[in-house]
Amino acid sequence: MKKIGILTYHCVTNFGAQLQTISSVGYFKRKGYEPIVLHWFPFDLENFYKREVPMCQYNEQMKFAETMMPLSKLCRTVKDVAKEIERIQIDAVFIGSDALFDYTPLRNRKHLNIKKLRLEPNGTIGATHDLPNAFWGSFNDYLENPVPCSGFSISSQNAPYFRYSKSELKELKRLLGYFGFLSLRDEWTCNMVKYISGRTDVTVTPDPVFAFNLNNAFGITKEYILEKYNLPENYILISFCLDQLTDDYINEIIHKVEVRSGYSCVSFPMPRKLKSYHTTYKIELPLPTLDWYYLIKFSQGYIGELMHPIIVSIHNSIPFYCFDQYGTFKTIIPMIWHKRLPESSKIYDVLKRGDFLKNVHSYQSKFLPSTDEIVEKFLSFDRTACGKFANNMEAKYLAAMEEVENSLNLK
């Protein structure tokens, strides 16, 4: 049985990151391989999440990684990853999915202090945003016999690749040479890889969460979820954490949705916090990763932020309306002229492909839609069209994973 190392953000306090890891593990198990999640967790990444989320939620999601994933020994550095690959005798490494190509350009690591007229650091660059970097395949530099690698549905999440220097482009191009099959999660990252390497064989493939139900069967029922969280039969999840909108605005949406649908709204948390609104029901932290998934799957809709709740909704044909915080600007004259680049948002990218752009509002937009407009678009959601798109994404995922197996010489 061939051993497949999986490298991704597997143990961060991010529900979507853990779900896509479990989906990949499930795929390789289903196909008769032995998947092993390479437990790369640099100190700075661990410390970041310990600062960013309540410890109860941090411990909950670490427990999920330790009990639900086939983990290697803990690796703090890229060299540690290479040692584990040799120790376990990994046959090939599957890298993805998630925002793994977020390398920070050198010129973005400093800013001009006008008062002191000198360049100063913007802060410490984390291990996952610097080189050497396991997500870019740097572990092969430390192996006597490099292992085959595939990158799958990787994203750059707003990476300003047009600011990479010639030396950075040269090094990143060298590292991309380690990858056989390489696919990206969005057009922005696809264009970035083409820009860096000149490769024409890269394409956009779905996030592994689009095949979560196919790759896993956990036996969690709607009855279990309703009883555990004391929820009514029909409920709609409301989740906002970024404080971009006023409470009055969100509460107005909640009121109008409840009146028109007859369903109850539920204040729904993200790992950093629960922000409660005028809802009869709410879900508190800590929240298990699988419960988070099935709470969305068994709901009548999701209104809120972040990408993976939308992917889970699409995968299960659940109505949604999304507020998009992602995306970057291209600046020509700082503080005077800049151009918004909507295609740099990973949410925009997937919703454009599914023809769901009417169900998203970007926080970068100058205009805020009325609550009536949002409620109307949410309640008129086309579940049938969504189901067809979800099936298409699953089919594309399976076809791409077949290519992964071929490129890694697994068959």
Side-chain angles (χ1 to χ4, degrees):
M1 182 183 294
K2 291 196 173 182
K3 297 179 180 179
I4 314 300
I6 297 175
L7 259 173
T8 188
Y9 283 118
H10 64 286
C11 63
V12 298
T13 47
N14 179 299
F15 296 121
Q18 292 199 312
L19 290 173
Q20 59 89 10
T21 306
I22 289 296
S23 185
S24 296
V25 168
Y27 176 88
F28 287 116
K29 281 185 176 179
R30 189 166 58 83
K31 296 303 288 285
Y33 306 112
E34 182 183 354
I36 300 168
V37 178
L38 292 165
H39 193 12
W40 185 43
F41 200 32
F43 282 113
D44 66 278
L45 190 62
E46 178 182 28
N47 292 333
F48 171 79
Y49 280 101
K50 283 183 175 179
R51 293 193 305 269
E52 287 292 303
V53 303
M55 281 307 298
C56 65
Q57 187 62 36
Y58 176 87
N59 291 334
E60 177 67 45
Q61 295 196 245
M62 283 301 298
K63 181 178 70 174
F64 180 80
E66 292 166 355
T67 58
M68 300 297 292
M69 298 178 191
L71 295 181
S72 73
K73 290 182 178 179
L74 179 61
C75 303
R76 294 299 191 179
T77 67
V78 175
K79 285 185 179 180
D80 291 342
V81 174
K83 290 177 181 177
E84 274 298 271
I85 290 172
E86 288 183 329
R87 185 187 70 82
I88 302 172
Q89 297 182 321
I90 296 289
D91 294 294
V93 176
F94 175 85
I95 302 174
S97 171
D98 223 322
L100 309 184
F101 279 178
D102 277 357
Y103 172 75
T104 302
L106 292 174
R107 65 179 65 180
N108 280 24
R109 302 184 188 193
K110 294 183 179 181
H111 68 277
L112 178 63
N113 186 317
I114 300 297
K115 292 182 178 180
K116 298 181 180 179
L117 293 178
R118 69 184 185 192
L119 291 174
E120 295 184 346
N122 288 329
T124 303
I125 302 299
T128 58
H129 290 72
D130 207 349
L131 295 176
N133 190 317
F135 294 149
W136 287 83
S138 293
F139 51 83
N140 266 328
D141 291 341
Y142 304 101
L143 293 174
E144 184 176 346
N145 297 304
V147 295
C149 295
S150 282
F152 190 84
S153 294
I154 296 173
S155 83
S156 66
Q157 195 172 336
N158 313 347
Y161 61 87
F162 40 81
R163 293 183 64 82
Y164 293 156
S165 67
K166 288 184 179 180
S167 61
E168 287 174 305
L169 289 170
K170 182 178 179 180
E171 175 61 7
L172 293 174
K173 180 179 181 179
R174 182 188 72 82
L175 291 171
L176 289 176
Y178 281 132
F179 291 78
F181 178 87
L182 177 57
S183 72
L184 298 314
R185 196 169 60 187
D186 54 79
E187 289 292 345
W188 180 267
T189 315
C190 193
N191 291 333
M192 182 188 86
V193 168
K194 291 177 180 178
Y195 177 83
I196 292 171
S197 66
R199 292 179 62 157
T200 58
D201 62 337
V202 294
T203 187
V204 174
T205 53
D207 186 292
V209 175
F210 274 113
F212 188 84
N213 294 334
L214 176 67
N215 291 335
N216 300 279
F218 289 105
I220 295 178
T221 65
K222 183 173 182 178
E223 291 72 24
Y224 168 82
I225 289 294
L226 295 183
E227 182 178 353
K228 181 175 180 178
Y229 293 99
N230 190 31
L231 297 176
E233 177 73 18
N234 297 308
Y235 61 90
I236 294 168
L237 299 172
I238 306 294
S239 184
F240 293 88
C241 292
L242 298 180
D243 300 319
Q244 294 285 325
L245 304 171
T246 66
D247 286 5
D248 288 343
Y249 181 84
I250 296 171
N251 284 322
E252 190 174 321
I253 292 173
I254 291 169
H255 173 71
K256 291 178 179 179
V257 165
E258 290 187 330
V259 169
R260 290 192 56 184
S261 69
Y263 302 150
S264 297
C265 288
V266 179
S267 294
F268 189 54
M270 289 300 151
R272 283 178 171 81
K273 65 179 178 180
L274 165 68
K275 190 169 183 183
S276 294
Y277 295 96
H278 291 169
T279 60
T280 304
Y281 304 91
K282 63 181 178 179
I283 308 294
E284 299 279 3
L285 295 177
L287 178 60
T289 295
L290 288 181
D291 285 8
W292 182 87
Y293 176 86
Y294 286 100
L295 279 161
I296 298 174
K297 178 179 180 176
F298 296 137
S299 75
Q300 295 299 322
Y302 174 89
I303 301 175
E305 299 159 335
L306 300 179
M307 183 193 71
H308 271 108
I310 303 307
I311 290 181
V312 174
S313 296
I314 294 173
H315 182 42
N316 294 286
S317 298
I318 301 299
F320 64 85
Y321 191 93
C322 179
F323 289 80
D324 182 9
Q325 74 269 35
Y326 300 110
T328 190
F329 291 89
K330 191 167 186 178
T331 301
I332 304 298
I333 307 174
M335 306 301 292
I336 297 177
W337 187 93
H338 60 267
K339 179 183 178 182
R340 176 174 168 249
L341 303 172
E343 65 274 13
S344 65
S345 163
K346 55 188 179 180
I347 289 178
Y348 176 92
D349 183 88
V350 69
L351 295 188
K352 181 181 179 181
R353 281 184 279 140
D355 196 24
F356 295 119
L357 288 181
K358 70 176 183 178
N359 282 68
V360 62
H361 168 74
S362 172
Y363 282 142
Q364 296 178 357
S365 174
K366 296 180 181 178
F367 305 102
L368 186 64
S370 70
T371 55
D372 285 328
E373 181 182 349
I374 291 170
V375 172
E376 177 59 35
K377 290 178 178 178
F378 172 73
L379 293 178
S380 62
F381 187 84
D382 190 336
R383 285 180 182 254
T384 301
C386 183
K388 290 179 180 178
F389 178 65
N391 289 337
N392 179 255
M393 288 293 98
E394 185 177 286
K396 287 186 174 181
Y397 166 84
L398 291 174
M401 288 299 288
E402 286 285 331
E403 291 189 57
V404 167
E405 291 183 65
N406 291 329
S407 74
L408 295 176
N409 300 316
L410 297 179
K411 294 187 174 182

